[in-house]
Amino acid sequence: MRTYALYLVRRFAQFILVVFIGINIAYLITHLTPVDPVEQAISSVTMFGQSSPEMVEVMRKTLRELYGLEGSAWEQYVSFWRRMATGDFGPSLSAFPTPVSTLIWQALPWTLGLLVSSTLIAWIVGNFLGGLAGYYRKNSLLKALGILAMSLQPIPYYIVAFILLVVFGFLWPVLPISGGAEMNIDRQGFAFAASIVKHSILPALSLVLVGLGAWFIGMRSLVSNIVTEDYVTYAELGGVDRRRILFSYVMRNALSPQLTGLALSLGAIFNGAIITEFVFGYPGMGTLLVRAVNAGDYSLVLGITSVSIIAVASAILVIDIIYPLLDPRVARS
Amino acid sequence: MNARPRANGAADVMLDVKNLRAYYVMQYFGTQREVRAVDDISLQVGRNEIYGLAGESSSGKTTFIKTIAAAIRPPLTVIGGSIRYSFLDRDIYKLDRVALSAIRWRYLSYIPQGSMNVLNPVRRVRESFIDFALPHMGLPKQQFFAAIIAHLERLQLTPGVLDAYPHELSGGMRQRIAIALATVCRPDFIIADEPTTALDVVVQKSVLELIREAQREIGSSMIFVTHDMAVHANISDRLGIMYAGRLVEEAPTAEIFRSPKHPYTQHLIASLPRIGDLSAKRALTGAPPSLAEPPSGCRFHPRCPLAMDICRETHPELVSIDPRHRVACHAVSPAVGPDRVFAAAAKQRTGLVQ
């Protein structure tokens, strides 16, 4: 147990370091952007008429102050971390003065709900079917599934998304194709929840179909390697119950690498969602990020990036923490 | 499942293999290729007997025991012959899967090579015992574990190993656990596939003693496979020598070591180091033949110092030269007459035959 505690401490320190470095890189990149939000705002004001240069200069100074851009680069950097420590990302520049954190908090539940559920569904179903297909190599239904998975897997998810849009939005219009929920209903209760689920079916399906193929193929090849391992042959020779062999011997041993993959794809949720959310007009982080980039709103970009860095790192941390419980060999090394 | 006491044929024969042929059959672009890993092997194993099977790598030893354990999967296929155990009323390949897993461990168990990978790395040893032995023992859990612990103690293992994962144990301990697993249900027949090959000689000795003791105590029969003749000298009652998928000689162990008849066996014995013998050991020239295209006639003839014309044409049958000794060699079979052949071959002798 002591080794495990030590492992936890070490792993947590690693987590802090990764988050720190990641946010620093994001900070650097967003502040090196040639798009100046102050000039962006001034040009949108001056677009409709002449202003005197003195007025523009006053406006520029006021905006720099409001956006927190005065002082040397070092002072800006220090004040950024001071604010970060309290969870404050500053005001959004494009939706001034709404705080970045408010915008993120509004978008985050949508993205998390859509992506966590579709990633988990794809992972569970894909691995289960892939495991069966690797173990029962001769089953023709599972063989057909393998061919289907293999043909779906290389298709980019946004192509699948467009096909789904055409099929279920145009040819057979049964599902809503845009938005997170109906606008004109009470934002509470069963009807609202049902509306959310209904709106999420198409975007989720586009992600699940593609993700499932990848998990299926990965698990199938892992399992077909593991069935030739000595301990599986030995268990078969020992007349161990076939279902026990499939789950406790074959799938359990194939699970460890797949869990790492799950952590990584949970982490990749934020960029994976961007196009899907955009295609389906889903009110999540992806749509928010695209808007922020277009507006040169780098405090919002930095806020979203920081949240996703923390999310990726925590997902991997959580997986690493439960890994030793699944594979006792990890905690030792 | 089939009743245990039913004997089949002679009362003391536990395993009767007749003309067993098992080939790896593969299809490449429509043409069929066969690798004849087990070709026409007949042997019997008696009650309480340890039958040793020796031969170099790729001589078909492992294929043979996989086949008699009914543990084959394609491309390995049984082409012909029969495998009868005394505890079964029919050929083992006539059983369906349920009946087969019911006899495993209770009647027929298996000691694998002492490698890292025999025990499931993510399951505690206790769970392996539950998986393998509990369904066959039919005891309530508490009594079951009492029996397991008593058995482990007989094999010089502490009950603590039950709560360990395989990677926390040494190679010798893992091998002893594999032996404990294979013997805990007191099976009638045990198949041991190179159980000591991966161990160093010190551990090897204690493991061999354990196997011998466990076998005596539960009174089971055993087929013991290893290429190591020194191990055979220690454990086997009777020895069968395999070469290129065929059994070439079979006799009680002492007799094989004292007077080997087949030239291949003679070479095998002559290559063993002996105390006080300082002469250089000669290596047999050539390599074991490809089992996909075995040589015509006797499969040993390309490497045999005594090879004659007949050896290239017809393959020698395994014949009894006395009641307990069978050899497959034209040079010693009575049809040709051993004396004449040995005299003729004496000129080419290479110091192989002592």
Side-chain angles (χ1 to χ4, degrees):
Chain A
M1 224 50 237
R2 239 199 103 223
T3 41
Y4 187 60
L6 210 71
Y7 168 79
L8 282 188
V9 170
R10 233 185 22 216
R11 192 59 196 75
F12 191 73
Q14 217 175 2
F15 164 78
I16 299 287
L17 188 72
V18 165
V19 168
F20 180 75
I21 293 175
I23 292 180
N24 270 324
I25 293 174
Y27 180 88
L28 198 69
I29 290 172
T30 49
H31 282 71
L32 286 177
T33 170
V35 185
D36 184 342
V38 174
E39 297 307 323
Q40 206 90 337
I42 289 172
S43 68
S44 67
V45 170
T46 54
M47 207 157 48
F48 305 107
Q50 289 295 349
S51 307
S52 68
E54 294 81 34
M55 279 313 293
V56 171
E57 201 42 54
V58 171
M59 197 154 42
R60 185 172 285 140
K61 200 168 172 305
T62 321
L63 280 173
R64 293 196 84 86
E65 222 166 272
L66 281 169
Y67 288 4
L69 294 177
E70 73 282 55
S72 68
W74 175 251
E75 280 165 11
Q76 284 184 37
Y77 176 73
V78 170
S79 77
F80 163 74
W81 272 108
R82 197 169 294 142
R83 282 189 285 110
M84 270 296 285
T86 62
D88 176 13
F89 296 108
S92 158
L93 309 186
S94 58
F96 195 79
T98 318
V100 165
S101 45
T102 309
L103 291 174
I104 290 179
W105 277 121
Q106 280 166 1
L108 196 59
W110 293 102
T111 293
L112 281 184
L114 177 67
L115 284 153
V116 170
S117 52
S118 58
T119 307
L120 283 180
I121 290 172
W123 190 81
I124 292 169
V125 177
N127 278 316
F128 184 72
L129 291 179
L132 290 181
Y135 193 62
Y136 300 107
R137 299 234 81 164
K138 288 197 182 131
N139 187 303
S140 46
L141 181 69
L142 289 167
K143 263 189 201 163
L145 266 179
I147 295 169
L148 190 69
M150 220 177 305
S151 46
L152 273 176
Q153 193 255 335
I155 304 177
Y157 61 94
Y158 41 87
I159 302 288
V160 177
F162 278 120
I163 294 172
L164 288 176
L165 267 186
V166 170
V167 172
F168 293 102
F170 179 68
L171 296 176
W172 186 38
V174 283
L175 288 168
I177 55 167
S178 174
E182 275 162 65
M183 294 289 189
N184 51 356
I185 56 172
D186 188 14
R187 304 231 129 199
Q188 259 162 17
F190 180 75
F192 183 55
S195 172
I196 290 179
V197 169
K198 218 171 139 190
H199 278 75
S200 70
I201 289 178
L202 284 185
L205 200 60
S206 76
L207 296 168
V208 166
L209 280 180
V210 174
L212 195 136
W215 293 121
F216 182 95
I217 291 167
M219 188 67 172
R220 194 181 56 178
S221 65
L222 273 171
V223 163
S224 48
N225 274 332
I226 287 175
V227 289
T228 62
E229 290 280 346
D230 289 348
Y231 54 81
V232 177
T233 320
Y234 186 50
E236 282 171 353
L237 267 176
V240 175
D241 182 50
R242 232 169 127 74
R243 208 166 308 155
R244 169 64 54 82
I245 293 181
L246 175 61
F247 291 111
S248 302
Y249 284 71
V250 176
M251 287 221 199
R252 173 87 186 270
N253 276 291
L255 214 55
S256 312
Q258 292 299 78
L259 261 183
T260 313
L262 175 64
L264 292 177
S265 67
L266 280 178
I269 266 179
F270 294 91
N271 46 36
I274 293 172
I275 301 179
T276 308
E277 285 189 2
F278 213 68
V279 167
F280 291 100
Y282 210 74
M285 301 272 282
T287 313
L288 192 65
L289 183 64
V290 173
R291 275 216 323 265
V293 170
N294 286 339
D297 184 350
Y298 61 64
S299 61
L300 184 52
V301 173
L302 185 55
I304 294 173
T305 319
S306 305
V307 168
S308 77
I309 288 169
I310 294 169
V312 175
S314 333
I316 299 176
L317 178 69
V318 168
I319 297 282
D320 274 358
I321 287 172
I322 60 171
Y323 214 110
L325 306 177
L326 274 169
D327 191 337
R329 287 168 297 183
V330 176
R332 304 256 144 186
S333 51
Chain B
M1 196 159 90
N2 304 281
R4 183 216 273 269
R6 218 193 126 95
N8 131 48
D12 278 304
V13 176
M14 287 296 290
L15 167 65
D16 187 4
V17 178
K18 280 210 179 82
N19 304 99
L20 183 66
R21 286 182 295 145
Y23 299 168
Y24 293 89
V25 182
M26 283 160 286
Q27 297 273 353
Y28 287 121
F29 308 110
T31 50
Q32 188 168 308
R33 278 169 54 88
E34 297 175 339
V35 174
R36 303 178 177 186
V38 170
D39 210 358
D40 202 13
I41 289 186
S42 302
L43 58 82
Q44 293 186 331
V45 179
R47 194 174 294 279
N48 283 330
E49 185 181 41
I50 297 187
Y51 187 100
L53 207 54
E56 60 200 326
S57 302
S58 81
S59 60
K61 307 185 297 278
T62 301
T63 307
F64 175 72
I65 55 169
K66 266 192 200 158
T67 311
I68 62 166
I72 63 174
R73 55 173 87 149
L76 181 57
T77 324
V78 174
I79 303 291
S82 68
I83 303 159
R84 307 290 301 254
Y85 287 95
S86 65
F87 48 82
L88 290 176
D89 58 2
R90 68 191 83 175
D91 191 287
I92 191 165
Y93 281 95
K94 299 255 161 61
L95 297 179
D96 60 23
R97 216 180 59 211
V98 179
L100 197 57
S101 47
I103 64 152
R104 292 207 187 282
W105 250 240
R106 186 74 192 84
Y107 297 106
L108 175 64
S109 82
Y110 187 84
I111 306 176
Q113 275 206 27
S115 72
M116 285 292 285
N117 299 323
V118 166
L119 298 167
N120 187 345
V122 298
R123 272 174 104 62
R124 290 182 197 276
V125 172
R126 176 186 300 279
E127 290 165 324
S128 288
F129 271 97
I130 293 175
D131 293 346
F132 280 82
L134 187 61
H136 302 290
M137 304 253 292
L139 290 173
K141 270 216 174 151
Q142 214 167 354
Q143 286 176 38
F144 171 74
F145 280 115
I148 298 284
I149 287 167
H151 189 67
L152 286 177
E153 275 164 358
R154 270 200 295 275
L155 296 179
Q156 298 154 28
L157 286 162
T158 53
V161 298
L162 283 177
D163 291 312
Y165 285 103
H167 70 275
E168 298 169 326
L169 304 168
S170 70
M173 282 166 98
R174 276 200 296 266
Q175 193 53 43
R176 263 177 284 187
I177 287 170
I179 294 167
L181 259 179
T183 51
V184 70
C185 300
R186 310 176 77 84
D188 292 18
F189 202 92
I190 301 171
I191 295 168
D193 181 11
E194 312 227 14
T196 58
T197 305
L199 306 173
D200 69 65
V201 283
V202 178
V203 184
Q204 203 173 58
K205 180 167 180 288
S206 73
V207 167
L208 282 177
E209 275 162 12
L210 278 179
I211 292 179
R212 185 95 234 200
E213 259 167 49
Q215 180 262 344
R216 281 210 190 110
E217 195 224 310
I218 62 183
S220 49
S221 311
M222 182 184 273
I223 280 200
F224 192 102
V225 173
T226 174
H227 60 263
D228 188 338
M229 294 302 284
V231 170
H232 278 308
N234 276 316
I235 195 160
S236 304
D237 300 320
R238 214 145 55 92
L239 254 181
I241 311 290
M242 280 188 77
Y243 184 81
R246 288 183 191 275
L247 200 58
V248 294
E249 184 161 6
E250 179 198 79
T253 309
E255 180 154 346
I256 288 258
F257 278 90
R258 198 173 49 237
S259 64
K261 290 288 186 287
H262 195 281
Y264 176 67
T265 320
Q266 289 172 345
H267 186 87
L268 217 55
I269 304 297
S271 69
L272 293 175
R274 263 160 235 221
I275 292 173
D277 175 10
L278 296 178
S279 64
K281 301 297 169 194
R282 300 177 60 92
L284 200 53
T285 52
S290 153
L291 296 175
E293 288 164 58
S296 61
C298 174
R299 289 182 177 181
F300 187 58
H301 85 254
R303 303 169 77 186
C304 182
L306 306 178
M308 306 168 286
D309 290 342
I310 186 176
C311 301
R312 293 179 192 96
E313 286 147 21
T314 45
H315 101 79
E317 295 296 332
L318 192 64
V319 290
S320 299
I321 56 167
D322 72 58
R324 303 263 291 157
H325 199 151
R326 296 191 294 162
V327 192
C329 179
H330 290 303
V332 290
S333 73
V336 181
D339 300 335
R340 199 152 54 88
V341 178
F342 275 107
K347 287 174 213 143
Q348 315 164 13
R349 266 208 219 173
T350 53
L352 204 65
V353 186
Q354 290 158 0

